[in-house]
Amino acid sequence: MRFETPTSVDQAVALLAADPEARLLAGGTDLLVRLRAGNIAPSTIIDIKRIAEMTVISQEDGGWRIGAAVPSAEMNEHAALKADWPGVVESADLIGSTQIQGRATLAGNLCNASPAADSVPAMVAAGATARIAGPDGTRDVAVEDIPTGVGKTSLGKGELVTSIHLPPKPARSGDAYLRFIPRTEMDIAVVGCGIYVTLDDQGKISDARVALGAVAPTVILSQSCADTLIGTAGDDAALDALAAAASAEAKPIDDKRGTIAFRKDVAGVLAKRAARIALARARGDS
Amino acid sequence: MSQIHITTTINGDETEYLCEADETLLDVLRDHLDMTGSKEGCGTGDCGACSVVVDGRLVCSCLMLAAEAEGRAIETIEGMGQGDQLHPLQQKFLEHAALQCGICTPGILVAAKNLLERNPNPSEEEVRYWLAGNLCRCTGYDKIIRAVMDTAADMRGAA
Ligand SMILES: Cc1cc2nc3c(=O)[nH]c(=O)nc-3n(C[C@H](O)[C@H](O)[C@H](O)COP(=O)(O)OP(=O)(O)OC[C@H]3O[C@@H](n4cnc5c(N)ncnc54)[C@H](O)[C@@H]3O)c2cc1C
Ligand code: FES
Ligand code: FES
C-alpha cells in the first residue's frame, strides 16, 4: 500500500483517476476501521488533509462552504456557522465521541454512504450541495443525490467531494436534526430526522424540507412530509399529520436495533419533535 | 514495500520514524517508539484507551495512520508528568482512586487534560459528554468524573 499526500485538488484527482484501487482518506474514522478489519485492501491511500482549500470553513454569498477535510469539532467551534445552521452542526456533533469528532468530516460521512449517517439527513434538509471535482472539472450535486445504496455513491472514476455548501439561510427559517439511539452517546442511529422550515411574515410555513435517515438504504427527502407543513402555522394538527406522513414514508428493515413497526413509529415521533425545534428557531424563540 | 520516513514532534521532542503505509500511529508509538502508555483496547475508535492529542485535537491514535503525523505536534500520556512531578489530574486520580486496572487511565487523562485546557470550568455534564468515548470497565466512572471536577476546581484556584 502507498500513502499519498496531494496538496492540490488537481493532484488528488490525478492520483485517484490513475488508480481505481486507491482510496481517499479524510478523517479515517470509517476507512481505518474497514482497513484494519481487512474489509478493504486499497493500493494507495490518498490523504486529502494537506489540500489547503479543503481544510477551511468560509462564507460564500451569504451561505457557507465547508471543506471536505474539516473535522466536525471545528464546525462545532464555529459560532457563526452554528448560529445559521444549528441542525447541521448538531448532527455532525452527534458523530461518535470527542475523539471521533476531532477527525470525522461531513464529506466522509456522506461518501461512506451508511444509511444511518447522522449528518446526511440534516444536510439534505438544509438543501446542501456537494462540490465534486474530477477529471472533467467540477460540478455541484444535491447531497441527496450522492448516496445511491448502502456503501455506494454516484461519484464517478477519479471524482472526489471537495466541499459541502450550505445555502444562505433565509429570514424566519430554522433547521433541526434528531436521532434515536438506545444510549445518549456513541451509537448508530435507529432513525434520524432532519427538518428545515421557513415562515412567511404571517408566521405560516412557506417552505419545508423533511429528510429521514436509517429507514431506507439511502436518505429519504420526503415531499409528502413537507406538504403536511407548508401553508400551516405548524400547529398540533399539522405536526400530527407530519408524524403520520413520516411513519408512512419510512421503509425500514427489521434488525437487532429496531423492528420495522418501531422504526416507523419513531420516525413519526422524531419528525414531530424536530419540527418543533426547527419552528422555534424560525420564530426566533430559541 | 518501501517504508515511509516521518518527522514529527512528540511531547515537544522532534522525533523521526519509519513506518508502513498501513500502520497506525498507535502501532508506531507502542511498537517502534516504545511509548506503551497509549493502550489498545479495541482498535476501532470505541474505547478511547489510545487517545492522543494531535495539533491540539483529541483523537484516537488507533484511527490515525502513522504516516499522517508528518509535521504535526503530538501529545501522549508520556508527556503529561514532568519526571517525578505528576500532573494535577494524575495526582487527583490517585487521591480519588479513579482507577482500578488502569487500562483506560492514560486515555482518560489525556482526554481530560485536553478538556481542561479548552474549558477550565466544565459542568459535570460537560465532563461526562467529553469523556463519553473513553470506556472504563472497572470504576463505574463516578470517581473519574469527581477527580476531573476536583482538579478543575483546584487549577482554577491556583491560577
Ligand atoms: C467509534 C465510532 C463512532 C461513530 N459514530 C457515528 C455516529 O454516531 N454517526 C455517524 O453518522 N457515524 C458515526 N461513525 C462513522 C464515522 O465516524 C462517520 O461516518 C464520519 O463522518 C466519517 O468521516 P471521515 O472523515 O472519518 O471519513 P473517512 O473514514 O476518511 O472516509 C469514509 C469514506 O468516504 C470516502 N471519502 C472520504 N472523503 C471523501 C471525499 N472528500 N470525497 C469522496 N470520498 C471520500 C473514503 O474513501 C471512505 O470510503 C462512527 C465511527 C466510529 C469509529
Ligand atoms: S484502541 Fe483506539 S479507541 Fe480503542
Ligand atoms: S480502571 Fe479498568 S478499565 Fe478503567
Side-chain angles (χ1 to χ4, degrees):
Chain A
M1 198 173 90
R2 291 188 308 143
F3 181 77
E4 296 285 352
T5 50
T7 52
S8 72
V9 172
D10 286 349
Q11 284 173 16
V13 168
L15 285 164
L16 203 54
D19 182 355
E21 304 298 314
R23 283 276 188 159
L24 294 166
L25 169 70
T29 59
D30 282 312
L31 190 76
L32 270 276
V33 174
R34 300 192 59 203
L35 191 68
R36 302 296 280 186
N39 287 337
I40 49 169
S43 56
T44 307
I45 297 266
I46 305 170
D47 183 2
I48 59 173
K49 292 189 293 298
R50 308 273 173 177
I51 304 173
E53 65 172 272
M54 286 170 65
T55 62
V56 289
I57 300 174
S58 51
Q59 203 142 29
E60 189 180 293
D61 303 330
W64 294 96
R65 188 162 292 287
I66 301 164
V70 172
S72 75
E74 212 166 295
M75 294 172 57
N76 201 34
E77 289 160 10
H78 197 297
L81 173 69
K82 209 172 169 173
D84 265 6
W85 292 105
V88 174
V89 173
E90 284 163 6
S91 74
D93 192 46
L94 287 173
I95 298 176
S97 57
T98 314
Q99 286 87 336
I100 300 298
Q101 286 152 20
R103 299 261 296 169
T105 63
L106 285 183
N109 198 219
L110 176 63
C111 295
N112 191 56
S114 158
D118 279 306
S119 72
V120 174
M123 285 193 280
V124 169
T129 52
R131 178 153 296 169
I132 296 173
D136 301 327
T138 61
R139 59 195 179 104
D140 289 330
V141 177
V143 161
E144 58 271 27
D145 293 333
I146 301 280
T148 53
V150 179
K152 294 200 175 67
T153 70
S154 57
L155 297 185
K157 190 172 173 236
E159 286 191 325
L160 74 157
V161 173
T162 58
S163 62
I164 301 290
H165 180 257
L166 297 174
K169 205 179 75 85
R172 296 182 301 273
S173 67
D175 77 324
Y177 174 77
L178 291 176
R179 70 170 179 187
F180 175 81
I181 56 172
R183 317 163 58 190
T184 51
E185 274 279 273
M186 295 286 286
D187 212 336
I188 300 165
V190 177
V191 181
C193 180
I195 296 206
Y196 163 82
V197 290
T198 314
L199 304 175
D200 63 18
D201 50 15
Q202 310 295 316
K204 285 233 160 71
I205 299 171
S206 55
D207 189 15
R209 286 170 66 92
V210 179
L212 297 168
V215 290
T218 58
V219 63
I220 296 174
L221 172 62
S222 169
Q223 189 59 46
S224 68
C225 287
D227 288 343
T228 61
L229 295 174
I230 295 169
T232 75
D235 49 276
D236 285 351
L239 295 182
D240 286 342
L242 168 67
S247 294
E249 279 279 49
K251 310 267 177 319
I253 54 166
D254 266 320
D255 71 9
K256 64 179 177 194
R257 291 177 304 115
T259 61
I260 290 173
F262 177 73
R263 281 195 159 107
K264 278 175 150 311
D265 191 49
V266 171
V269 173
L270 287 187
K272 200 167 163 174
R273 290 184 189 165
R276 284 213 174 95
I277 298 169
L279 280 163
R281 286 174 173 162
R283 291 176 188 134
D285 297 347
S286 68
Chain B
M1 190 156 48
S2 73
Q3 292 202 310
I4 303 164
H5 179 245
I6 297 296
T7 306
T8 188
T9 303
I10 302 182
N11 301 324
D13 297 329
E14 188 174 289
T15 307
E16 294 180 57
Y17 56 79
L18 291 170
C19 64
E20 303 290 345
D22 62 359
E23 278 183 297
T24 64
L25 178 61
L26 179 62
D27 295 335
V28 165
L29 289 173
R30 292 183 56 84
D31 301 340
H32 298 316
L33 301 176
D34 213 19
M35 298 174 77
T36 54
S38 306
K39 305 298 179 194
E40 177 156 15
C42 63
T44 52
D46 293 286
C47 77
C50 64
S51 297
V52 300
V53 172
V54 178
D55 288 350
R57 277 219 189 280
L58 184 68
V59 305
C60 295
S61 60
C62 73
L63 290 188
M64 173 172 164
L65 292 173
E68 292 181 61
E70 177 67 35
R72 307 287 189 209
I74 296 165
E75 297 162 52
T76 72
I77 184 66
E78 283 83 359
M80 201 157 168
Q82 304 299 321
D84 287 345
Q85 185 69 42
L86 294 181
H87 184 277
L89 274 165
Q90 293 173 307
Q91 191 59 48
K92 286 289 178 204
F93 267 56
L94 290 175
E95 286 169 21
H96 284 261
L99 66 155
Q100 289 176 32
C101 80
I103 277 282
C104 68
T105 314
I108 292 183
L109 287 168
V110 167
K113 177 167 177 272
N114 190 251
L115 169 64
L116 298 188
E117 283 164 3
R118 288 162 182 272
N119 178 0
N121 192 11
S123 66
E124 178 177 334
E125 192 181 1
E126 285 170 332
V127 176
R128 286 187 185 272
Y129 270 103
W130 187 268
L131 296 178
N134 290 90
L135 303 186
C136 174
R137 302 315 285 164
C138 302
T139 63
Y141 300 102
D142 233 55
K143 290 179 173 179
I144 292 172
I145 304 301
R146 274 185 253 160
V148 175
M149 296 295 288
D150 196 15
T151 311
D154 265 23
M155 287 176 75
R156 285 196 305 278

